[in-house]
Amino acid sequence: MRTVFGIDVSKHTINLAIVVNKVKVDERKLTLDRPGLDNLLRLLKAFNHPEVVFEATGIYSRTLQHFLDCNRFEYTMLNPLTAKKQLDNLRPYKTDRSDALNLAQTSFIIHRSLSYKQNPVYEQLHDLSRFYQEVSRDVVNHKNRLHRALQLTFPQLESLFSNTNNELYWAIVQRFSCPSEVLKFSYTELSSIILNSTNKVISANRATYIAKKLLALAEEAYPVINHDSYVYEQIQYLDNRIVEEVHEKDKITTEMQQEAPNLGCIIFRTDNVKFFCITVLLLFSPFLRQNKRDGPQRQSN
């Protein structure tokens, strides 16, 4: 006797269809929380070696996947495009209820391999990589907003360094976004402030050069807002956010480097998000391909 559980996962609920030897025996809707999953567990245990098939729906299906892994049930998790192609010819109309039933019924027609239960560290690295990309997008967004704000106060400040992606630049923006503040100091005083603004080791000559250039740029500036404008507060806010986010990116990269040796991989540090993701993919793809080849197979009846 072959039993298949077809499950359609949504945000808060799952639609369940139970088919035994091609005959539907039960349909119900359960909540996607502990009480609902407890009911699902009782149903699964009521049958001998039940098969479970569902469509991956991003973060929502991860709850069901984690539940099945924890309770050691085998399952087939379908790619959404694959599921669509398999079901389009079988359903006159699409509903969550019909999708669950069709997933179960087509398991008696279509050969579907079991999903491989990969090492949890892969999921951890995937979450870290996604978090890295999100923080990187936030950095770009805040840099663009900071650029627009500086155009109203001290646009010349952006030409102080050839590369503005460094802590010293952010420290100077934090302190001297208003050119009149720069003009209150001599270049000697500015040199001292610059030397104390970063943990990076720079020479006194380099600090003096930056101070003189900063003074020259401040003399050229023509702010279009008053010194008490709210824009200066906005600049400080954006500057702080950028610094925090850059540090967070470094922290995420370090965590990925610590996780990778468990898989015999190396994660390279880079500020280019696209290259970072490609590097991770290239490093992990041999392992993922091997895992796919070694995964168990389900024989269709």
Side-chain angles (χ1 to χ4, degrees):
M1 184 174 68
R2 183 181 176 190
T3 303
V4 180
F5 280 58
I7 301 177
D8 185 87
V9 186
S10 56
K11 184 176 181 180
H12 299 298
T13 61
I14 58 175
N15 283 271
L16 169 67
I18 304 175
V19 177
V20 178
N21 290 342
K22 302 182 181 181
V23 178
K24 180 183 72 175
V25 297
D26 196 3
E27 275 187 312
R28 60 182 67 190
K29 189 173 187 176
L30 303 174
T31 54
L32 191 58
D33 53 18
R34 186 174 295 277
L37 293 174
D38 286 342
N39 288 332
L40 176 60
L41 181 60
R42 284 191 288 270
L43 290 169
L44 288 168
K45 289 183 175 180
F47 295 90
N48 186 30
H49 299 299
E51 301 172 18
V52 179
V53 58
F54 61 96
E55 178 184 342
T57 54
I59 57 175
Y60 304 129
S61 60
R62 281 187 64 177
T63 301
L64 176 61
Q65 182 183 4
H66 179 68
F67 161 79
L68 295 171
D69 286 338
C70 289
N71 290 281
R72 299 185 178 183
F73 286 104
E74 295 181 335
Y75 56 86
T76 297
M77 182 170 61
L78 297 176
N79 176 282
L81 180 59
T82 301
K84 182 178 186 303
K85 289 180 177 179
Q86 292 179 357
L87 301 183
D88 271 351
N89 294 330
L90 300 175
R91 53 191 179 192
Y93 54 90
K94 174 178 170 56
T95 65
D96 293 343
R97 180 179 176 184
S98 66
D99 280 352
L101 180 59
N102 287 331
L103 284 171
Q105 290 177 333
T106 53
S107 292
F108 292 89
I109 304 171
I110 302 171
H111 171 76
R112 291 170 175 154
S113 299
L114 294 172
S115 295
Y116 179 79
K117 298 179 183 179
Q118 64 183 10
N119 189 323
V121 71
Y122 285 108
E123 198 66 53
Q124 176 76 356
L125 287 168
H126 179 266
D127 289 338
L128 285 170
S129 178
R130 182 168 52 205
F131 184 29
Y132 182 94
Q133 294 176 63
E134 291 171 351
V135 175
S136 295
R137 286 193 291 269
D138 290 339
V139 171
V140 171
N141 179 46
H142 288 138
K143 282 183 179 180
N144 289 336
R145 290 170 59 187
L146 179 61
H147 167 75
R148 291 193 293 270
L150 283 174
Q151 303 315 298
L152 303 176
T153 63
F154 194 176
Q156 292 81 358
L157 194 56
E158 293 182 318
S159 63
L160 182 61
F161 299 102
S162 59
N163 179 13
T164 58
N165 291 318
N166 61 78
E167 290 189 8
L168 180 56
Y169 173 74
W170 304 125
I172 291 175
V173 170
Q174 183 70 228
R175 180 74 181 269
F176 298 117
S177 59
C178 180
S180 61
E181 291 296 317
V182 178
L183 299 175
K184 293 178 180 179
F185 300 94
S186 67
Y187 75 84
T188 303
E189 292 171 322
L190 285 174
S191 297
S192 178
I193 293 172
I194 290 169
L195 284 170
N196 295 322
S197 295
T198 177
N199 294 324
K200 183 179 179 181
V201 178
I202 60 174
S203 67
N205 289 338
R206 173 65 175 166
T208 300
Y209 169 80
I210 295 172
K212 290 181 177 180
K213 187 175 181 180
L214 182 60
L215 275 170
L217 293 173
E219 291 173 352
E220 297 174 3
Y222 188 81
V224 299
I225 57 174
N226 296 326
H227 69 278
D228 58 349
S229 171
Y230 181 76
V231 174
Y232 290 109
E233 186 174 340
Q234 179 188 8
I235 289 173
Q236 291 188 352
Y237 166 79
L238 293 170
D239 187 85
N240 285 328
R241 289 294 301 272
I242 292 169
V243 172
E244 291 173 0
E245 288 159 356
V246 168
H247 288 164
E248 189 65 34
K249 286 175 62 178
D250 290 339
K251 179 182 174 183
I252 295 170
T253 304
T254 300
E255 291 178 358
M256 294 190 75
Q257 289 173 326
Q258 293 172 349
E259 292 284 357
N262 298 327
L263 303 172
C265 298
I266 300 173
I267 302 297
F268 297 101
R269 293 187 62 176
T270 173
D271 290 331
N272 187 298
V273 177
K274 185 177 293 185
F275 179 74
F276 179 87
C277 298
I278 293 174
T279 301
V280 173
L281 178 62
L282 291 176
L283 286 169
F284 291 161
S285 58
F287 297 90
L288 297 175
R289 286 196 297 269
Q290 183 63 39
N291 289 343
K292 186 175 181 179
R293 288 196 297 268
D294 295 343
Q297 300 289 311
R298 171 178 290 151
Q299 299 297 326
S300 58
N301 290 342

